[in-house]
Amino acid sequence: MFEAEQRAYVRACQARSGKVLGHVGTVNAARDMELLRTALGDDKLNYFGISYGTWLGGVYAHQFPRSTGRIVLDGAVDTKISTRDLNLQQAAGFERALRSYAEACAKRGATDCPPSKGDKSAEAIISDIRAFLEGLDAKPIRTSQGRPLSQTLGVSGVATALYSKQLWPVLSQGLTMAYEGDGTVLLSLADAQNGRREDGTYTNLNAANTAIKCDDTTERYTVSDVEAALPRFRRASAVFGPLLAWNLMQCTGWPFPGDDEAKEVSAPGSAPIVVLGNTGDPATPYAWAPALARELGNARLVTLHGEGHGSYDTGDPCVVKAVDDFLLQGKVPADGTRCP
């Protein structure tokens, strides 16, 4: 079933975008950025990239180090590790974020937490979430949209709420409703993550992500590869591990072989680049930030001890000042700067 759906997806991509599918990787995107810079007559490229945007910024700096201006890379990606390790570390990152949510929830008390069958400890909250999501596999629940909340959508909805600490109260509301049989809030969170519009159509968010990813790697995983990896993914996260393990097959059957050129981001001769890492980031785990800074070779690492994906959008005054001073005034932060 899964393999058949994957083959159908790939066929549809090829039918609609076959002429460009092999040309949308990060290396070509970086070249396009350089063309835009020269067309605008700018001496240097000033750039703020978050998440995948840090990979794009790193590739640009590698290809055009003399053209780099003030570049900030927030929510860094480690370009050197395999897709399996990327997904595995993401699973662990989301598990850590879920625990942070549960610990904060347990401290606040019953009024701000989803109901628990046992005590109100963080462990009990996580256990209840895990049991609920596992139950959706056999018995999806209703929503006001008329579409049931399946296990995959439920896991996606929980993960979406972990991207920002501001969404934690929404997650509590969504779980409270879901435990009572209404999956509307969790489905809305999953839809936002998947780029689903109100009319039932989708943005090209996931399709573009797939095309870029598959152009940027030669890795192609099989069902056997996933099944062999599943125990490690489950140990990393019983909640998020299986979904991220099966996501390894994102490029299976892709009509182009891809290449690994985009993994190279060393940028000798570039202007100083600022890399931001958030210790509580679920989607781009913190370890990727110092890894990218090392690979760039001329980077300044700024660390936020916080929660959520990325650092600047948390509004932390220390991070905002460091970034604004750099982008607006050219003041380069000290390497190893730490923000509370």
Side-chain angles (χ1 to χ4, degrees), residues 15-28:
R16 295 187 178 194
S17 306
K19 292 182 179 180
V20 300
L21 278 187
H23 306 283
V24 295
T26 302
V27 170
N28 282 335

Side-chain angles (χ1 to χ4, degrees), residues 155-212:
V155 172
S156 296
V158 173
T160 301
L162 297 176
Y163 271 75
S164 170
K165 193 173 182 179
Q166 293 178 336
L167 288 175
W168 286 6
V170 181
L171 177 57
S172 291
Q173 178 192 13
L175 288 169
T176 299
M177 292 174 59
Y179 291 172
E180 296 172 354
D182 183 352
T184 298
V185 172
L186 291 183
L187 182 61
S188 294
L189 287 167
D191 285 348
Q193 180 71 10
N194 293 327
R196 191 180 194 277
R197 303 185 182 97
E198 290 186 7
D199 64 1
T201 62
Y202 289 81
T203 68
N204 73 338
L205 174 68
N206 286 332
N209 176 279
T210 297
I212 295 166

Side-chain angles (χ1 to χ4, degrees), residues 82 99 108 119 158 173 239 298:
S82 68
R99 181 163 297 277
R108 288 196 302 270
D119 57 58
V158 173
Q173 178 192 13
V239 174
N298 191 22

